[in-house]
Structure formats: structure tokens, C-alpha cells
């Protein structure tokens, strides 16, 4: 997955990092929900495809199984190592500084683009990496994604006096279809289709605490250690009435943005 970095007001760096073992336990639903965007990609034998933010390679492996020559990049060395253990060709790479020039028939990405701070640098690199007419097929968090979770975590951080330094709203970019269509167009893409897809997502047995420790790991590691248990406990308690059912099952309020665009 993409690593997110942001300087706090105190000069500290907040980094979203990834542990493949924890991700497999608490976030395995992410690649399993990638079937739809993979259908849009429709990889063909012999095509050269870049998987941007490949993670541990679960979807990369499916692209390779279709006969395409797929190359994965990710900012997390641990995730890249996981992809390599699957026998995939992958390397550590900054999504904001892609080094490729007209090398790929398609660029694919699932659940990674919303972690990227400099969207314009990333899009310029993707366009540069594609051959003329090549396609960019991706799914990311869209407008309204995890809205309840963000509001709850931000409220708890505020109560602890940490909002200015570690606002949950700073962690991701969740655009509307119109906003992202405009951004893609500015970088030379022709958008063929773009959709906002509400997707309430059941969480595994680890529930909301597992989600927070996986997908807000950067926030939790950046706050004082003695405050972390309280931040987790209070955030989970705020979310329980709206995201946990009477049987104890948690559902995350996901909204996805999926698109296909041509270079």
C-alpha cells in the first residue's frame, strides 16, 4: 500500500505504515472486494500492466494469471516483500515519482490512490508511464468514504487536544466524481466512465478496533503512547451506535470511486 507522510505542527512526521500480517488479519476484505475494478481492467494476455500500490500482490497475482506481464510498485517494503513471496515482479517505488516512460498498456490501482498526498504528481507519472491510448483503471475511496469513522476519530483527537497535529481528515483524499474527472482531464486523460459506489463493508472479527489499528496506524503511532488506548476506546464507543449491529457485527461506511480513463 501507499505510505502517507504529513508534517505535524510540531515538526513530527506522521507516516501510515503497513504490516502484512496485521493487514491480512484485519484488511483482507480490501483485495477481495477488488473483483469489480479488475473486471473493468479486463487484462489481456501479453499486455504490460503496472499495478500501482500493489500491496502484498493479491490482485497483482490475478492480473498475472490472465496472461498479462504485470509489474507491481508499492511504497511499503514489507508489502513488496509479500508480493515477491508470491513470485511477482515488484519493487519499492514512490507513487509521486514514477520513473516509467511509455512502458505500459494499462495502469491499475485498487484502494491506494486516496493515500497519495500529491495527486497531480502521481497522475502526471501515470500518464507518462502509459503508451498512447493506454488505460488507467482504478478504484479508490470516494466522497463520503468512512465519513462516520473520520468524524468520530477527529472528535476524540480534539478532546485529547490533538486535532491540529493529527487530524484524521488529513489522512486521505476522497473526491467526488466531478472533481476527479476534472483532475484527470487536466493531466491529459479522457475519462470513459467514473462512478461513485456506496459499499457498506462488513469488518472481520477484530471489528472497528482492528480497522483503526490497521488503517489509522499512522495516527495512532504519532500520538503519545499513553493516550492510544483511550483514543481507540473512545472512538469505538462513538461509532458503536451507528456501525455495529445488535449481534455485534461491525460495518464500515465505505464509498468507492471507480474509473477508467485513456491517455
Amino acid at each position: 500500500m501507499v505510505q502517507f507522510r504529513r508534517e505535524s505542527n510540531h515538526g513530527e512526521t506522521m507516516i501510515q505504515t503497513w504490516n502484512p500480517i496485521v493487514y491480512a488479519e484485519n484488511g483482507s476484505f480490501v483485495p477481495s472486494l477488488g473483483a469489480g475494478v479488475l473486471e473493468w481492467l479486463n487484462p489481456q494476455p501479453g499486455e504490460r500492466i503496472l499495478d500501482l500500490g500493489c500491496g502484498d500482490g493479491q490482485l497483482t497475482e490475478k492480473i498475472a494469471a490472465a496472461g498479462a506481464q504485470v509489474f507491481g510498485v508499492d511504497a511499503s517494503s514489507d508489502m513488496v516483500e509479500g508480493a515477491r513471496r508470491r513470485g511477482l515482479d515488484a519493487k519499492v517505488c514512490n507513487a509521486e515519482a514514477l520513473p516509467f516512460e511509455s512502458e505500459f498498456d494499462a495502469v491499475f490501482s485498487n484502494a491506494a490512490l486516496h493515500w497519495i498526498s500529491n495527486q497531480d504528481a502521481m497522475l502526471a507519472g501515470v500518464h507518462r508511464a502509459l503508451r498512447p491510448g493506454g488505460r488507467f483503471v482504478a478504484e479508490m475511496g470516494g466522497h463520503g468514504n468512512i465519513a462516520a469513522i473520520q468524524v468520530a476519530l477527529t472528535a476524540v483527537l480534539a478532546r485529547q487536544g490533538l486535532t491540529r497535529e493529527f487530524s484524521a481528515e488529513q489522512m486521505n483524499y476522497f473526491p467526488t466524481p466531478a472533481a476527479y474527472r476534472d483532475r484527470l482531464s487536466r493531466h491529459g486523460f479522457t475519462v470513459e466512465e467514473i462512478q461513485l459506489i456506496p459499499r457498506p463493508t462488513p469488518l472481520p472479527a477484530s471489528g472497528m478496533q482492528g480497522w483503526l489499528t490497521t488503517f489509522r496506524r499512522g495516527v495512532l503511532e504519532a500520538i503519545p503512547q499513553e493516550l492510544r488506548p483511550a483514543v481507540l476506546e473512545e472512538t469505538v464507543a462513538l461509532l458503536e451506535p451507528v456501525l455495529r449491529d445488535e449481534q455485534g457485527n461491525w460495518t464500515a461506511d465505505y464509498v468507492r470511486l471507480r474509473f477508467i480513463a485513456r491517455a
Side-chain angles (χ1 to χ4, degrees), residues 90-128:
K91 77 169 185 177
V92 176
C93 183
N94 182 353
E96 298 173 1
L98 296 173
F100 312 107
E101 296 275 353
S102 300
E103 294 184 37
F104 297 99
D105 300 295
V107 174
F108 172 80
S109 185
N110 181 60
L113 300 187
H114 51 259
W115 292 102
I116 298 171
S117 297
N118 192 336
Q119 291 283 315
D120 292 316
M122 177 272 295
L123 289 174
V126 170
H127 193 276
R128 190 170 56 246

Side-chain angles (χ1 to χ4, degrees), residues 57-77:
Q58 292 186 53
L59 291 179
T60 323
E61 198 170 45
K62 292 183 178 181
I63 296 170
Q69 300 173 25
V70 61
F71 182 63
V73 295
D74 201 286
S76 168
S77 58

Side-chain angles (χ1 to χ4, degrees), residues 21 30 41 46 88 92 96 101 104 109 135 184 222 241 246-247 263:
I21 296 173
V30 174
L41 176 66
L88 298 165
V92 176
E96 298 173 1
E101 296 275 353
F104 297 99
S109 185
R135 63 200 187 280
L184 285 162
E246 60 188 33
Q247 295 178 317

